[in-house]
Amino acid sequence: MTVRVGINGYGTIGKRVACAVKAQDDMEIVGVTKTRPSYEARLAEMEKFPLYTAEEEQISTFEKEGIATKGSLKDLLEVADIIVDCTPGGVGERYRKMYEEAGVKAIFQGGEEHGLTGVSFNAFANYSEAWGANFARVVSCNTTGLVRTLFPIDHAYGIESVAATIVRRGADPADNKGSALNAIEPSLKLPTHHGPDVQTIMPWLNITTMVVKVPTTLMHVHCITINLKKPAKEQDILAVWDSAPRVRFVNGKYGIKSTAQIMEFAKDLGRSRGDFMEIAVWQDGVKVRDNTLYYYQAVHQESDVVPENIDCIRAMMKLEADGMKSIQKTNSTLGISK
Ligand code: NAD
């Protein structure tokens, strides 16, 4: 069975998920939506993705620009088994009813609330929770990053408490809106919503988070302090992450001292769009003192959630019962080493 996937919102996340679906042999793209006849609409044509508009009234503006569409989202819902909703945060919830009435499953992104679906997803931590679900939400880039490294450590050593400071990129590289050019902006609503968001997947975890927004576009950096339940040495912690999926070490000693060098490394690896889908942990920035573990990690916000969307499709469509097998299949098709 090849699952028919539609993308609503062919933007930063949507176009990446579409290309990732295209790389799989058990699913295919049956259509993507755009609201305006922008360059991304032409990109969809180049990728040979059938193009739909979000609203019926938008079709004529595409026709005026010489861009053919197959109809609107309403028509896409007739040919899709599942929609990956990649519309801007807060917009997706408006579409839930439409998906439900069409009898089409849907995955929402981290900009939506947990309550919209009741299932928040990370492939390694809770693959089975999305099994056969009609609706699920792939958590945000930051929450995905936190869960990727916290879940395996909690499993191996137990976590008493976590305090994480998220140094957030101000905007995505292609955005023309975002943070101030020359300012560091602390989030004044404390603790921030990221801790409760991690708890949508690890409800037992005692975690608090703080955030500062900085004028950079490349990646986020997390500064994390964990109080462990059982004693561990640095090499024990590194061994846990070494066998955890989608966590990759980088090393200041070998010249990767910043997010700029991680992005350069991604390009050197020949990654599509220069994406880095793994969470990068600085191997030489991991320290344990008594029962306290300190580490830094970097999150490529535009791409770390992409493989999670693919695994979420497999779980919801019951394509693969074993989460690890799905993770490995996704990784091998997207060039992720583990
Ligand atoms: P984006 O603005 O880059 O793309 C959104 C797309 O949706 C655009 O193509 C836009 O034209 C389209 N759109 C806008 N209004 C629409 C509507 N009413 N109906 C249909 N399509 C509409 O946004 P993004 O960064 O890709 O974010 C999408 C979702 O992914 C959000 O929930 C966001 O929180 C989440 N997310 C974003 C990032 C990131 O860093 N960019 C990381 C992880 C998760």
Side-chain angles (χ1 to χ4, degrees):
M1 168 188 169
T2 304
V3 165
R4 300 169 303 168
V5 182
I7 306 282
N8 190 22
Y10 189 71
T12 307
I13 301 297
K15 64 189 175 189
R16 286 173 167 81
V17 173
C19 287
V21 168
K22 195 176 172 180
Q24 312 304 312
D25 63 7
D26 51 356
M27 55 188 83
E28 62 177 320
I29 290 291
V30 291
V32 305
T33 73
K34 282 303 297 172
T35 52
R36 283 188 306 272
S38 63
Y39 85 95
E40 280 168 334
R42 296 192 190 275
L43 185 70
E45 275 188 323
M46 279 159 55
E47 293 280 2
K48 304 211 170 4
F49 296 142
L51 184 64
Y52 293 79
T53 58
E55 309 283 342
E56 220 166 328
E57 309 82 70
Q58 293 160 351
I59 294 175
S60 61
T61 61
F62 283 68
E63 282 170 350
K64 273 186 212 145
E65 293 293 331
I67 300 177
T69 68
K70 296 256 182 196
S72 68
L73 177 64
K74 194 162 56 68
D75 305 297
L76 175 57
L77 291 176
E78 282 175 22
V79 295
D81 301 310
I82 185 164
I83 291 286
V84 183
D85 186 299
C86 301
T87 59
V91 173
E93 66 171 313
R94 295 187 225 150
Y95 283 107
R96 191 189 189 279
K97 194 160 175 260
M98 193 172 169
Y99 303 146
E100 196 163 24
E101 281 171 2
V104 174
K105 294 181 185 241
I107 297 174
F108 297 91
Q109 305 304 311
E112 307 303 323
E113 299 287 332
H114 170 76
L116 184 65
T117 66
V119 178
S120 287
F121 182 83
N122 171 271
F124 188 50
N126 70 345
Y127 183 88
S128 59
E129 272 184 47
W131 185 251
N134 286 334
F135 297 104
R137 176 183 77 123
V138 168
V139 289
S140 73
C141 48
N142 278 311
T143 305
T144 296
L146 289 167
V147 172
R148 286 236 189 109
T149 52
L150 293 174
F151 184 80
I153 293 297
D154 187 47
H155 185 71
Y157 290 97
I159 292 178
E160 196 66 55
S161 63
V162 186
T165 298
I166 297 171
V167 183
R168 267 194 75 183
R169 60 91 178 97
D172 284 338
D175 276 350
N176 53 9
K177 54 186 188 308
S179 68
L181 273 180
N182 186 21
I184 297 174
E185 187 183 324
S187 175
L188 301 176
K189 268 193 182 168
L190 287 173
T192 63
H193 70 273
H194 302 85
D197 206 35
V198 169
Q199 288 163 339
T200 63
I201 291 179
M202 300 172 67
W204 60 88
L205 193 71
N206 178 5
I207 176 170
T208 52
T209 50
M210 298 175 80
V211 172
V212 289
K213 193 158 80 168
V214 295
T216 176
T217 62
L218 301 177
M219 300 181 90
H220 307 298
V221 166
H222 297 169
C223 316
I224 303 173
T225 306
I226 299 180
N227 286 318
L228 298 166
K229 284 190 179 157
K230 286 191 234 159
K233 296 199 166 63
E234 278 138 25
Q235 63 262 36
D236 304 326
I237 299 295
L238 291 170
V240 169
W241 285 328
D242 203 25
S243 55
R246 298 173 186 159
V247 175
R248 186 165 181 152
F249 295 130
V250 292
N251 218 306
K253 201 167 66 177
Y254 303 133
I256 302 191
K257 292 177 191 283
S258 75
T259 53
Q261 285 135 1
I262 298 172
M263 290 286 87
E264 185 68 9
F265 182 40
K267 288 184 227 163
D268 291 337
L269 291 172
R271 294 287 176 83
S272 169
R273 294 187 164 92
D275 286 344
F276 200 90
M277 293 183 244
E278 302 95 326
I279 301 309
V281 173
W282 271 279
Q283 194 171 18
D284 43 353
V286 174
K287 289 284 168 286
V288 179
R289 290 286 176 272
D290 301 321
N291 269 22
T292 308
L293 162 66
Y294 306 87
Y295 66 103
Y296 298 106
Q297 64 181 25
V299 173
H300 186 224
Q301 75 278 354
E302 295 175 290
S303 71
D304 69 328
V305 298
V306 172
E308 307 296 328
N309 274 277
I310 301 299
D311 296 325
C312 194
I313 293 171
R314 278 207 190 94
M316 289 168 70
M317 297 306 301
K318 299 186 171 180
L319 290 173
E320 171 57 67
D322 183 337
M324 272 317 288
K325 282 194 181 149
S326 176
I327 288 173
Q328 281 154 7
K329 185 177 171 89
T330 307
N331 287 356
S332 72
T333 51
L334 300 184
I336 301 170
S337 54
K338 68 170 179 74

